[in-house]
Coordinates of all heavy atoms in Angstrom, one line a residue:
G59 N 5.1 -13.4 10.1 CA 5.8 -14.0 9.0 C 4.9 -14.9 8.1 O 5.4 -15.5 7.2
N60 N 3.6 -14.9 8.4 CA 2.7 -15.7 7.6 C 1.8 -14.9 6.7 O 1.3 -13.9 7.1 CB 1.8 -16.5 8.6 CG 2.5 -17.5 9.4 OD1 3.3 -18.3 8.9 ND2 2.4 -17.4 10.7
P61 N 1.7 -15.3 5.4 CA 0.8 -14.6 4.5 C -0.7 -14.8 4.9 O -1.0 -15.8 5.7 CB 1.1 -15.3 3.2 CG 1.7 -16.6 3.5 CD 2.4 -16.5 4.8
A62 N -1.5 -14.0 4.5 CA -3.0 -14.0 4.9 C -3.6 -15.4 4.6 O -4.4 -15.8 5.3 CB -3.7 -12.9 4.1
R63 N -3.2 -16.0 3.5 CA -3.9 -17.3 3.1 C -3.5 -18.4 4.1 O -4.2 -19.4 4.1 CB -3.5 -17.7 1.7 CG -2.0 -18.0 1.6 CD -1.6 -18.5 0.2 NE -0.2 -18.7 0.1 CZ 0.6 -18.0 -0.7 NH1 0.1 -17.1 -1.5 NH2 1.9 -18.3 -0.7
N64 N -2.5 -18.2 5.0 CA -2.1 -19.3 5.9 C -2.4 -18.9 7.4 O -1.8 -19.5 8.3 CB -0.6 -19.5 5.8 CG -0.2 -20.0 4.4 OD1 -1.0 -20.5 3.7 ND2 1.1 -19.9 4.1
R65 N -3.4 -18.1 7.6 CA -3.7 -17.7 9.0 C -5.2 -17.4 9.2 O -5.9 -17.4 8.2 CB -2.8 -16.6 9.5 CG -2.9 -15.4 8.7 CD -2.1 -14.2 9.4 NE -2.6 -13.0 8.9 CZ -2.1 -12.3 7.9 NH1 -1.1 -12.8 7.2 NH2 -2.7 -11.2 7.5
E66 N -5.6 -17.0 10.4 CA -7.0 -16.8 10.7 C -7.3 -15.3 11.0 O -8.5 -15.0 11.1 CB -7.4 -17.6 11.9 CG -7.3 -19.1 11.6 CD -8.2 -19.6 10.5 OE1 -9.3 -19.2 10.4 OE2 -7.7 -20.5 9.7
D67 N -6.4 -14.4 11.1 CA -6.7 -13.0 11.5 C -6.0 -12.0 10.6 O -5.1 -12.4 9.8 CB -6.4 -12.7 13.0 CG -4.9 -13.0 13.3 OD1 -4.2 -13.6 12.5 OD2 -4.5 -12.5 14.4
A68 N -6.5 -10.8 10.6 CA -6.0 -9.6 9.9 C -6.3 -9.8 8.4 O -5.6 -9.2 7.5 CB -4.6 -9.4 10.1
F69 N -7.3 -10.6 8.0 CA -7.7 -10.7 6.6 C -9.2 -11.2 6.6 O -9.8 -11.6 7.5 CB -6.8 -11.7 5.8 CG -7.3 -13.1 5.9 CD1 -8.0 -13.7 4.9 CD2 -6.9 -13.9 7.0 CE1 -8.4 -15.0 5.0 CE2 -7.3 -15.2 7.1 CZ -8.1 -15.8 6.0
V70 N -9.8 -11.1 5.4 CA -11.1 -11.5 5.2 C -11.2 -12.0 3.7 O -10.5 -11.6 2.8 CB -12.1 -10.4 5.4 CG1 -12.0 -9.2 4.4 CG2 -13.6 -10.8 5.5
R71 N -12.1 -12.9 3.5 CA -12.5 -13.4 2.1 C -13.8 -12.7 1.8 O -14.8 -12.8 2.5 CB -12.6 -14.9 2.0 CG -11.3 -15.6 2.2 CD -11.4 -17.1 2.0 NE -10.2 -17.8 2.3 CZ -9.3 -18.1 1.3 NH1 -9.5 -17.8 0.1 NH2 -8.2 -18.8 1.6
K72 N -13.8 -12.1 0.6 CA -15.0 -11.4 0.2 C -15.3 -11.7 -1.3 O -14.3 -12.0 -2.1 CB -14.9 -9.9 0.3 CG -14.8 -9.3 1.7 CD -16.2 -9.0 2.2 CE -16.1 -8.3 3.6 NZ -17.3 -7.9 4.1
P73 N -16.5 -11.7 -1.8 CA -16.8 -12.0 -3.2 C -16.5 -10.9 -4.1 O -16.6 -11.1 -5.3 CB -18.3 -12.3 -3.1 CG -18.8 -11.5 -2.0 CD -17.7 -11.5 -1.0
L74 N -16.0 -9.7 -3.7 CA -15.7 -8.6 -4.6 C -14.6 -9.0 -5.6 O -13.6 -9.5 -5.3 CB -15.1 -7.4 -3.8 CG -14.7 -6.2 -4.6 CD1 -15.8 -5.6 -5.4 CD2 -13.9 -5.2 -3.8
K75 N -15.0 -8.9 -6.9 CA -14.1 -9.2 -8.0 C -13.6 -7.8 -8.6 O -14.5 -7.0 -8.9 CB -14.7 -10.0 -9.0 CG -13.8 -10.4 -10.2 CD -14.6 -11.2 -11.2 CE -13.7 -11.5 -12.4 NZ -14.4 -12.0 -13.5
L76 N -12.4 -7.6 -8.7 CA -11.9 -6.4 -9.3 C -12.1 -6.4 -10.8 O -11.6 -7.2 -11.6 CB -10.4 -6.2 -9.1 CG -10.0 -6.0 -7.6 CD1 -8.5 -5.9 -7.5 CD2 -10.7 -4.8 -7.0
E77 N -13.1 -5.6 -11.3 CA -13.5 -5.6 -12.7 C -12.6 -4.6 -13.5 O -12.5 -3.4 -13.1 CB -14.9 -5.1 -12.8 CG -15.9 -6.1 -12.2 CD -16.0 -7.4 -12.9 OE1 -15.6 -7.5 -14.1 OE2 -16.5 -8.4 -12.3
P78 N -12.0 -5.0 -14.6 CA -11.3 -4.1 -15.4 C -12.2 -2.9 -15.8 O -13.3 -3.1 -16.2 CB -10.9 -4.9 -16.6 CG -10.8 -6.3 -16.1 CD -12.0 -6.4 -15.1
G79 N -11.6 -1.7 -15.8 CA -12.3 -0.5 -16.2 C -13.1 0.1 -15.1 O -13.6 1.2 -15.2
Q80 N -13.3 -0.5 -13.9 CA -14.1 0.0 -12.8 C -13.1 0.7 -11.8 O -12.0 0.1 -11.5 CB -14.9 -1.0 -12.1 CG -15.7 -0.5 -11.0 CD -16.7 -1.5 -10.4 OE1 -17.1 -2.4 -11.1 NE2 -17.0 -1.4 -9.1
R81 N -13.5 1.9 -11.3 CA -12.6 2.6 -10.4 C -12.9 2.2 -9.0 O -14.1 2.0 -8.6 CB -12.9 4.1 -10.6 CG -11.9 5.0 -10.0 CD -12.1 6.4 -10.5 NE -11.1 7.3 -9.9 CZ -10.7 8.4 -10.5 NH1 -11.2 8.7 -11.7 NH2 -9.8 9.2 -10.0
Y82 N -11.9 2.1 -8.1 CA -12.0 1.6 -6.7 C -11.2 2.6 -5.8 O -10.2 3.2 -6.3 CB -11.4 0.2 -6.5 CG -12.1 -0.8 -7.3 CD1 -11.7 -1.1 -8.6 CD2 -13.2 -1.5 -6.8 CE1 -12.4 -2.1 -9.4 CE2 -13.8 -2.5 -7.5 CZ -13.4 -2.8 -8.8 OH -14.1 -3.8 -9.5
T83 N -11.7 2.7 -4.6 CA -11.0 3.5 -3.6 C -10.6 2.6 -2.4 O -11.4 1.8 -1.9 CB -11.9 4.6 -3.1 OG1 -12.2 5.5 -4.2 CG2 -11.2 5.5 -2.0
L84 N -9.3 2.6 -2.0 CA -8.8 1.9 -0.8 C -8.3 2.9 0.2 O -7.6 3.8 -0.2 CB -7.7 1.0 -1.2 CG -7.9 -0.1 -2.3 CD1 -6.6 -0.9 -2.5 CD2 -9.0 -1.0 -1.9
R85 N -8.7 2.7 1.4 CA -8.2 3.5 2.5 C -7.8 2.6 3.7 O -8.5 1.7 4.1 CB -9.2 4.5 3.0 CG -8.6 5.5 4.1 CD -9.5 6.6 4.5 NE -10.6 6.1 5.3 CZ -11.9 6.3 5.2 NH1 -12.3 7.0 4.2 NH2 -12.8 5.8 6.0
V86 N -6.6 2.9 4.2 CA -6.1 2.2 5.4 C -5.9 3.3 6.4 O -5.2 4.3 6.2 CB -4.8 1.4 5.1 CG1 -4.3 0.7 6.4 CG2 -5.0 0.3 4.1
E87 N -6.4 3.0 7.6 CA -6.3 3.9 8.7 C -5.3 3.3 9.7 O -5.6 2.2 10.2 CB -7.6 4.2 9.4 CG -8.6 4.9 8.5 CD -10.0 4.9 9.0 OE1 -10.3 4.3 10.1 OE2 -10.9 5.6 8.3
V88 N -4.1 3.9 9.9 CA -3.1 3.4 10.8 C -3.1 4.2 12.1 O -3.0 5.4 12.1 CB -1.7 3.5 10.1 CG1 -0.6 3.1 11.0 CG2 -1.6 2.8 8.8
R89 N -3.3 3.5 13.2 CA -3.4 4.1 14.5 C -2.5 3.3 15.4 O -2.1 2.2 15.1 CB -4.9 4.0 15.0 CG -5.9 4.8 14.2 CD -5.6 6.3 14.1 NE -6.6 7.0 13.4 CZ -6.6 7.2 12.0 NH1 -5.6 6.8 11.3 NH2 -7.6 7.8 11.5
R90 N -2.2 3.9 16.6 CA -1.4 3.2 17.6 C -2.1 1.9 17.9 O -3.1 1.8 18.5 CB -1.3 4.0 18.9 CG -0.3 5.2 18.8 CD -0.2 5.9 20.1 NE 0.3 7.2 19.9 CZ -0.5 8.3 19.8 NH1 -1.8 8.3 20.0 NH2 0.1 9.5 19.5
G91 N -1.5 0.8 17.5 CA -2.0 -0.5 17.9 C -3.2 -1.0 17.1 O -3.7 -2.1 17.5
S92 N -3.5 -0.4 16.0 CA -4.7 -0.9 15.2 C -4.6 -0.4 13.8 O -4.0 0.6 13.5 CB -6.0 -0.4 15.9 OG -6.2 0.9 15.7
L93 N -5.3 -1.2 13.0 CA -5.4 -0.9 11.5 C -6.8 -1.1 11.1 O -7.5 -2.0 11.6 CB -4.5 -1.9 10.7 CG -3.0 -1.9 11.0 CD1 -2.3 -3.1 10.4 CD2 -2.4 -0.6 10.6
R94 N -7.3 -0.3 10.2 CA -8.6 -0.5 9.6 C -8.5 -0.3 8.1 O -7.9 0.7 7.7 CB -9.6 0.6 10.2 CG -11.0 0.5 9.8 CD -11.8 1.5 10.5 NE -13.2 1.4 10.0 CZ -13.9 2.5 9.6 NH1 -13.4 3.7 9.6 NH2 -15.1 2.3 9.2
A95 N -9.0 -1.2 7.3 CA -9.0 -1.1 5.9 C -10.4 -1.1 5.3 O -11.2 -1.9 5.7 CB -8.2 -2.3 5.3
L96 N -10.6 -0.1 4.4 CA -11.9 0.0 3.7 C -11.7 0.0 2.2 O -10.7 0.4 1.6 CB -12.5 1.4 4.1 CG -12.7 1.6 5.6 CD1 -11.6 2.4 6.2 CD2 -14.0 2.4 5.8
V97 N -12.7 -0.6 1.6 CA -12.8 -0.7 0.1 C -14.0 0.0 -0.3 O -15.1 -0.4 0.1 CB -12.8 -2.2 -0.4 CG1 -12.9 -2.2 -1.9 CG2 -11.5 -2.9 0.1
N98 N -13.9 1.0 -1.1 CA -15.1 1.8 -1.5 C -15.9 2.3 -0.3 O -17.1 2.3 -0.4 CB -15.9 1.1 -2.6 CG -15.2 0.9 -3.9 OD1 -14.3 1.6 -4.2 ND2 -15.5 -0.2 -4.6
G99 N -15.3 2.7 0.8 CA -16.0 3.2 1.9 C -16.5 2.1 2.9 O -17.1 2.4 3.9
V100 N -16.4 0.8 2.5 CA -16.9 -0.3 3.3 C -15.7 -0.9 4.1 O -14.7 -1.3 3.5 CB -17.6 -1.3 2.5 CG1 -18.1 -2.5 3.3 CG2 -18.8 -0.7 1.7
E101 N -15.9 -1.1 5.4 CA -14.9 -1.7 6.2 C -14.7 -3.2 5.8 O -15.7 -3.9 5.8 CB -15.2 -1.6 7.7 CG -14.1 -2.2 8.6 CD -14.4 -2.1 10.0 OE1 -14.3 -0.9 10.6 OE2 -14.8 -3.1 10.6
Y102 N -13.5 -3.6 5.5 CA -13.2 -5.0 5.2 C -12.5 -5.7 6.4 O -12.7 -6.8 6.7 CB -12.4 -5.1 3.9 CG -13.2 -5.2 2.7 CD1 -14.3 -4.4 2.5 CD2 -13.0 -6.2 1.7 CE1 -15.1 -4.5 1.3 CE2 -13.7 -6.3 0.6 CZ -14.8 -5.5 0.4 OH -15.6 -5.6 -0.7
V103 N -11.5 -5.0 6.9 CA -10.7 -5.5 8.0 C -10.4 -4.5 9.1 O -10.0 -3.4 8.8 CB -9.3 -6.1 7.5 CG1 -8.5 -6.6 8.7 CG2 -9.6 -7.2 6.5
R104 N -10.6 -4.9 10.3 CA -10.2 -4.1 11.5 C -9.3 -5.0 12.3 O -9.8 -6.1 12.7 CB -11.4 -3.6 12.3 CG -11.0 -2.8 13.5 CD -12.2 -2.4 14.3 NE -13.1 -1.5 13.6 CZ -13.2 -0.2 13.7 NH1 -12.4 0.4 14.5 NH2 -14.1 0.5 13.0
W105 N -8.1 -4.6 12.6 CA -7.2 -5.4 13.4 C -6.5 -4.6 14.5 O -6.1 -3.5 14.2 CB -6.1 -6.0 12.4 CG -5.1 -6.9 13.1 CD1 -5.3 -8.2 13.4 CD2 -3.8 -6.5 13.6 NE1 -4.1 -8.7 14.1 CE2 -3.2 -7.6 14.1 CE3 -3.1 -5.3 13.5 CZ2 -2.0 -7.6 14.7 CZ3 -1.8 -5.3 14.0 CH2 -1.3 -6.4 14.6
S106 N -6.4 -5.2 15.6 CA -5.7 -4.6 16.8 C -4.7 -5.5 17.2 O -4.9 -6.8 17.3 CB -6.7 -4.3 17.9 OG -7.6 -3.4 17.5
G107 N -3.5 -5.0 17.6 CA -2.4 -5.8 18.1 C -1.1 -5.1 18.0 O -1.1 -3.9 17.7
D108 N 0.0 -5.8 18.1 CA 1.3 -5.2 18.1 C 1.7 -5.1 16.6 O 1.9 -6.1 15.9 CB 2.3 -6.2 18.8 CG 3.7 -5.7 18.9 OD1 4.0 -4.6 18.3 OD2 4.5 -6.4 19.5
I109 N 1.8 -3.8 16.2 CA 2.2 -3.5 14.8 C 3.5 -4.2 14.4 O 3.7 -4.5 13.3 CB 2.2 -2.0 14.6 CG1 0.9 -1.4 14.8 CG2 2.7 -1.7 13.2 CD1 -0.2 -1.6 13.8
N110 N 4.4 -4.4 15.4 CA 5.7 -5.0 15.1 C 5.5 -6.5 14.6 O 6.5 -7.0 14.1 CB 6.6 -5.0 16.4 CG 7.1 -3.6 16.6 OD1 7.6 -2.9 15.8 ND2 6.8 -3.1 17.9
R111 N 4.4 -7.1 14.8 CA 4.1 -8.4 14.2 C 4.0 -8.4 12.7 O 4.0 -9.5 12.1 CB 2.8 -9.0 14.9 CG 3.0 -9.3 16.4 CD 1.6 -9.7 16.9 NE 1.1 -10.9 16.3 CZ -0.2 -11.3 16.3 NH1 -1.1 -10.5 16.9 NH2 -0.6 -12.4 15.7
L112 N 3.8 -7.3 12.1 CA 3.6 -7.2 10.7 C 4.9 -6.9 10.0 O 5.8 -6.1 10.5 CB 2.6 -6.0 10.3 CG 1.2 -6.3 10.8 CD1 0.4 -5.0 10.9 CD2 0.5 -7.2 9.8
N113 N 5.1 -7.5 8.8 CA 6.3 -7.2 8.0 C 6.0 -7.4 6.6 O 4.9 -7.8 6.2 CB 7.5 -8.0 8.5 CG 7.3 -9.5 8.6 OD1 6.6 -10.0 7.7 ND2 7.8 -10.1 9.6
L114 N 7.0 -7.2 5.7 CA 6.8 -7.2 4.3 C 7.6 -8.4 3.7 O 8.7 -8.6 4.1 CB 7.3 -5.9 3.7 CG 6.9 -5.5 2.3 CD1 5.4 -5.4 2.2 CD2 7.5 -4.1 2.0
E115 N 7.0 -9.0 2.7 CA 7.8 -10.0 2.0 C 9.0 -9.4 1.3 O 9.0 -8.3 0.8 CB 6.9 -10.6 0.9 CG 5.7 -11.3 1.4 CD 4.7 -11.7 0.3 OE1 3.8 -10.8 0.0 OE2 4.8 -12.8 -0.3
P116 N 10.2 -10.1 1.4 CA 11.4 -9.5 0.9 C 11.3 -9.1 -0.6 O 11.9 -8.1 -1.0 CB 12.4 -10.7 1.1 CG 11.9 -11.5 2.2 CD 10.4 -11.4 2.1
I117 N 10.5 -9.8 -1.4 CA 10.4 -9.4 -2.8 C 9.8 -8.0 -3.0 O 10.0 -7.4 -4.0 CB 9.6 -10.5 -3.6 CG1 9.7 -10.3 -5.1 CG2 8.2 -10.5 -3.1 CD1 9.2 -11.4 -5.9
Y118 N 9.0 -7.6 -2.0 CA 8.4 -6.3 -2.1 C 9.1 -5.2 -1.3 O 8.5 -4.1 -1.1 CB 6.9 -6.3 -1.7 CG 6.1 -7.3 -2.6 CD1 5.5 -8.4 -2.1 CD2 5.9 -7.0 -3.9 CE1 4.8 -9.3 -2.9 CE2 5.2 -7.8 -4.7 CZ 4.7 -9.0 -4.2 OH 3.9 -9.8 -5.0

Side-chain angles (χ1 to χ4, degrees):
N60 294 307
R63 67 177 176 242
N64 294 343
R65 58 173 204 268
E66 298 297 321
D67 58 345
F69 86 98
V70 66
R71 290 184 184 268
K72 294 269 189 177
L74 175 68
K75 180 180 176 195
L76 295 180
E77 296 291 341
Q80 183 173 330
R81 196 167 179 151
Y82 297 88
T83 300
L84 302 181
R85 184 173 76 229
V86 177
E87 298 170 353
V88 177
R89 301 295 184 269
R90 285 182 200 99
S92 70
L93 301 168
R94 182 175 178 235
L96 300 98
V97 178
N98 294 335
V100 176
E101 182 180 287
Y102 270 47
V103 174
R104 181 184 297 261
W105 179 81
S106 295
D108 181 359
I109 299 287
N110 289 307
R111 293 174 58 202
L112 293 159
N113 54 41
L114 197 57
E115 295 168 273
I117 193 171
Y118 297 117

